Amino acid sequence: MRLPILLPSLGLITCTLVLMWPLLGSCHPAQTPEQPKLVFMKHFSRPGVGFNWRNITCPLCKAVFTILDIALLSDANEERVARAVREACIRLHLADEQVCRDITELFRDDFIRALQESLLWPTEACALLVGASCGKFDIYAPWNITLPKIPKPPVTPPSPPKPGSPQSRVLFLTDIHWDQEYVAGSAADCKDPLCCRKDSNSPSWRRREAGYWGTYSKCDLPLRTVENLLENAAKAGPWDWVYWTGDIPAHNVWSQTRKQQLSELTVISRLIHKHLGPNVTVYPAVGNHESTPVNSFPPPFVHGNRSCAWLYDTMAEEWAPWLPEQALKTLRYGGFYTMEIQPGLRLVSLNMNFCARENFWLMVNSTDPANQLQWLVHILQASEDKGEKVHIIGHIPPGLCLGSWSWNYYHIVNRYESTITGQFFGHTHLDEFQMFYDEATMARPLGVAFIAPSVTTYVNLNPGYRVYYVDGNYQGSSRLVLDHETYVLNLTEVNHSPGVSSKPEQNPKWTLLYRATKAYGLTSLFPSDCDGLMRTFVNDDRVFQKFWYFRHKGHVSEPCKETCKTTVLCFLRSGRYDELEQCDLLNGFGGNLARLC
């Protein structure tokens, strides 16, 4: 007679694992060169967990998810569902008991409401959780945006600018992840998903402690490091403009409140304005950590207290010094906007949370959320008509998006390849890129999504920032990226002053890690150059290992060989999700690389 209670509990284990995604792994490629086909798995089957959800059979998964769907038809069952999820998290040791309690309470209302309203079928859910053998993984139905019937203009391959031509120098900041609770001397290794905090306790004997400026561990940054970066960046100017692609709060996703998120948004926005000055325009984009619960970005059809108005309205207030009213209007509506940077150059800032599989609100309806891509087509066509070039910024790289969204975006980039001259993203915390090719042959390179390294150290990284050199403001400029530099704060050096082992540097300097053209022997960073660089990675392992070192901002313990190298090359080639999936399957990774994010 207890069977009806037991089966929903098993279903809730499935539900729990979806809910625990923010705690069980970060959405970027692995930091170490372990077997790639285990990369995705290791985030969910850590030593000591004692449970592997891949051991659930497909029929059992479908059965329990069906029961879960039925249970959630009644509002009276919501408390029972939340309690069972919490207990499953604790008993499976997915996180510390208090973390399980906190994150369940934080996520329960929005997640359960989205699940109740979703079109999610058991087959689709189990494909997500158990694997492709249990159904189709992309739970969101295919859809297409509409392109104008105007023929694509003839493509003219770009030419390098003449010597002495103006260049624009662009500062790029992403993934700051300021931790208000960071405490130097606290435990750098702890049981929680985020360490180096005042509740991480003191390090035990022979355990590492948090450094003054940051730590090589699963730690974020103290405010002093963020301020030091901005002070150094201001001195390294002048900047023509700044791109800032989000993720302000720390990774303590189980204990965040709206008040805290808004406070951190306000503090960092005002610090950037203070240090870079009123004469530098900053163009922000929305990260996935700005909301709470993390990744929760309901599309505009969700109204009232569950909507994102609380977040977008504050962004509009804080970013008003940089953005015109029309841009603020669409920012308040859906977290995206467009505006002219200079005559002949337009910016589009996309809300990439509308393409993210972690955004559980997309279970309700994922067809071009907020009509953002259709809006993008309208902007690009208008720019093509006027002869404008367009830069696109966003947080999550398009190659890591949901399949249909990623396919449509790739299609748009193909159609408007002569108009889109720069794509700039963050999110992975690593220094990398993803290629776009002509859809007809998948051989001719036509675009590059540059993915810049994070400001934060999370996980085991030096703090860093990026500088782009773009073909400048003159008649006939391509507005393409010509070069870029990465600057880092070497924690090994700055946490200990020379000759004084226990004291940190008081005014540390951020140093140039590398300049791309010089490091790789290139003349520019046009799509053809980046494609050629990828071919060099395949044939010259010495150059690839240099890239691997730079990819981790100068802090990596082991080289990347064999299958690790293939995994990385798959990622770099795949500006479209299904291309990543195909590369993944062809190289024997069983689809696990494609599901990494």
Side-chain angles (χ1 to χ4, degrees):
M1 297 297 292
R2 296 180 60 84
L3 187 60
I5 298 175
L6 174 62
L7 285 177
S9 296
L10 290 171
L12 289 166
I13 291 173
T14 307
C15 184
T16 301
L17 288 157
V18 176
L19 199 61
M20 293 299 116
W21 273 13
L23 296 179
L24 296 174
S26 49
C27 193
H28 52 78
Q31 303 286 319
T32 56
E34 300 174 40
Q35 301 98 314
K37 62 184 176 182
L38 300 178
V39 164
F40 182 75
M41 290 287 294
K42 74 175 184 178
H43 290 289
F44 295 89
S45 51
R46 294 178 177 178
V49 168
F51 175 80
N52 185 342
W53 47 265
R54 295 265 166 171
N55 291 334
I56 295 178
T57 65
C58 185
L60 178 60
C61 177
K62 291 178 180 178
V64 297
F65 219 96
T66 298
I67 294 170
L68 176 61
D69 283 349
I70 294 171
L72 288 176
L73 291 176
S74 169
D75 289 345
N77 284 331
E78 288 187 23
E79 180 57 39
R80 189 181 304 169
V81 168
R83 185 168 60 250
V85 168
R86 182 174 62 246
E87 291 305 310
C89 174
I90 294 169
R91 293 181 184 182
L92 294 173
H93 305 291
L94 298 180
D96 178 71
E97 180 175 339
Q98 190 57 50
V99 172
C100 285
R101 295 183 185 281
D102 290 345
I103 198 167
T104 303
E105 188 61 29
L106 180 61
F107 274 73
R108 52 173 285 183
D109 291 343
D110 283 0
F111 181 78
I112 289 175
R113 182 61 58 195
L115 195 60
Q116 285 175 323
E117 297 180 10
S118 78
L119 303 176
L120 193 70
W121 291 89
T123 298
E124 297 163 330
C126 292
L128 172 65
L129 296 170
V130 177
S133 62
C134 202
K136 183 169 176 56
F137 171 68
D138 191 350
I139 62 177
Y140 307 95
W143 48 270
N144 295 311
I145 47 87
T146 302
L147 292 176
K149 295 182 179 180
I150 302 170
K152 177 178 177 179
V155 176
T156 303
S159 301
K162 295 178 181 179
S165 297
Q167 293 185 6
S168 297
R169 195 161 173 262
V170 182
L171 174 65
F172 190 94
L173 303 172
T174 190
D175 296 274
I176 290 174
H177 292 293
W178 161 39
D179 188 359
Q180 295 191 60
E181 305 295 324
Y182 188 99
V183 175
S186 61
D189 302 295
C190 68
K191 60 184 178 180
D192 290 337
L194 183 65
C195 302
C196 302
R197 318 186 81 223
K198 67 180 184 181
D199 56 359
S200 298
N201 299 319
S202 299
S204 57
W205 184 67
R206 282 193 167 182
R207 288 298 184 99
R208 296 183 303 143
E209 63 179 41
Y212 184 79
W213 293 105
T215 308
Y216 298 128
S217 187
K218 51 178 182 176
C219 304
D220 283 317
L221 291 178
L223 188 61
R224 57 179 165 270
T225 307
V226 180
E227 285 206 80
N228 179 263
L229 179 154
L230 295 173
E231 290 167 359
N232 277 267
K235 294 174 185 176
W239 306 105
D240 289 284
W241 64 85
V242 180
Y243 291 149
W244 173 32
T245 59
D247 269 17
I248 299 166
H251 287 84
N252 59 319
V253 297
W254 65 93
S255 61
Q256 293 171 338
T257 66
R258 288 185 176 185
K259 182 179 179 180
Q260 291 168 345
Q261 302 294 91
L262 296 181
S263 172
E264 290 164 3
L265 166 67
T266 300
V267 168
I268 298 300
S269 297
R270 294 181 183 182
L271 278 176
I272 291 174
H273 190 271
K274 169 188 170 183
H275 287 288
L276 299 184
N279 297 322
V280 177
T281 302
V282 178
Y283 302 100
V286 182
N288 64 300
H289 277 264
E290 265 69 90
S291 185
T292 183
V294 66
N295 302 314
S296 177
F297 287 84
F301 63 73
V302 177
H303 302 287
N305 191 50
R306 295 188 193 278
S307 76
C308 260
W310 65 274
L311 179 62
Y312 298 153
D313 286 349
T314 302
M315 287 177 170
E317 291 174 15
E318 294 301 323
W319 299 347
W322 301 319
L323 307 181
E325 184 52 43
Q326 183 57 39
L328 295 174
K329 182 178 179 180
T330 56
L331 175 65
R332 290 188 188 97
Y333 171 73
F336 53 88
Y337 63 89
T338 184
M339 62 181 291
E340 184 183 73
I341 296 178
Q342 294 172 339
L345 178 61
R346 173 164 296 277
L347 172 78
V348 171
S349 177
L350 294 177
N351 186 347
M352 300 300 285
N353 294 292
F354 290 149
C355 82
R357 67 189 63 251
E358 297 84 6
N359 183 3
F360 48 79
W361 282 104
L362 300 189
M363 293 188 298
V364 180
N365 186 350
S366 67
T367 301
D368 193 13
N371 294 315
Q372 181 179 218
L373 286 186
Q374 199 64 60
W375 168 85
L376 173 62
V377 169
H378 173 76
I379 298 299
L380 291 172
Q381 186 58 56
S383 291
E384 181 180 277
D385 293 343
K386 292 184 289 187
E388 283 182 328
K389 302 300 183 183
V390 174
H391 283 182
I392 295 175
I393 65 171
H395 184 66
I396 301 170
L400 297 179
C401 289
L402 287 165
S404 292
W405 201 101
S406 183
W407 187 92
N408 277 284
Y409 179 84
Y410 204 96
H411 193 51
I412 293 169
V413 171
N414 262 255
R415 167 59 183 83
Y416 294 100
E417 65 169 293
S418 299
T419 298
I420 301 171
T421 58
Q423 302 176 67
F424 307 91
F425 300 92
H427 184 60
T428 72
H429 295 194
L430 303 174
D431 185 340
E432 47 200 356
F433 59 91
Q434 287 189 308
M435 295 297 303
F436 288 70
Y437 295 92
D438 174 38
E439 287 178 311
T441 64
M442 294 306 291
R444 180 178 65 86
L446 56 79
V448 184
F450 292 99
I451 304 171
S454 62
V455 174
T456 187
T457 55
Y458 191 93
V459 177
N460 296 321
L461 301 168
N462 282 312
Y465 69 88
R466 166 64 55 80
V467 178
Y468 288 104
Y469 293 86
V470 178
D471 199 6
N473 187 19
Y474 62 93
Q475 186 68 34
S477 171
S478 71
R479 303 288 188 168
L480 288 163
V481 174
L482 304 176
D483 208 348
H484 66 62
E485 296 173 333
T486 293
Y487 288 81
V488 299
L489 187 65
N490 189 319
L491 293 179
T492 303
E493 297 176 357
V494 302
N495 277 334
H496 302 286
S497 297
V500 185
S501 59
S502 61
K503 290 188 177 182
E505 290 271 7
Q506 291 306 300
N507 295 295
K509 303 302 179 188
W510 296 65
T511 56
L512 175 66
L513 180 65
Y514 79 104
R515 183 167 179 134
T517 55
K518 183 178 180 181
Y520 297 123
L522 304 173
T523 56
S524 67
L525 296 182
F526 292 171
S528 57
D529 297 301
C530 294
D531 179 65
L533 180 60
M534 276 191 53
R535 297 176 189 276
T536 301
F537 290 163
V538 173
N539 299 318
D540 189 338
D541 191 62
R542 178 187 58 84
V543 178
F544 176 78
Q545 297 306 327
K546 180 187 290 187
F547 165 78
W548 179 254
Y549 176 77
F550 292 151
R551 182 176 181 260
H552 294 86
K553 293 184 283 181
H555 187 257
V556 62
S557 57
E558 299 178 42
C560 177
K561 299 287 188 179
E562 299 174 348
T563 51
C564 168
K565 181 175 178 179
T566 304
T567 305
V568 174
L569 293 176
C570 277
F571 178 86
L572 299 180
R573 181 176 171 80
S574 307
R576 192 172 73 191
Y577 175 81
D578 67 315
E579 283 296 307
L580 175 60
E581 190 175 41
Q582 186 69 15
C583 183
D584 180 2
L585 292 170
L586 287 174
N587 287 281
F589 303 143
N592 290 324
L593 170 62
R595 285 194 296 275
L596 180 61
C597 285

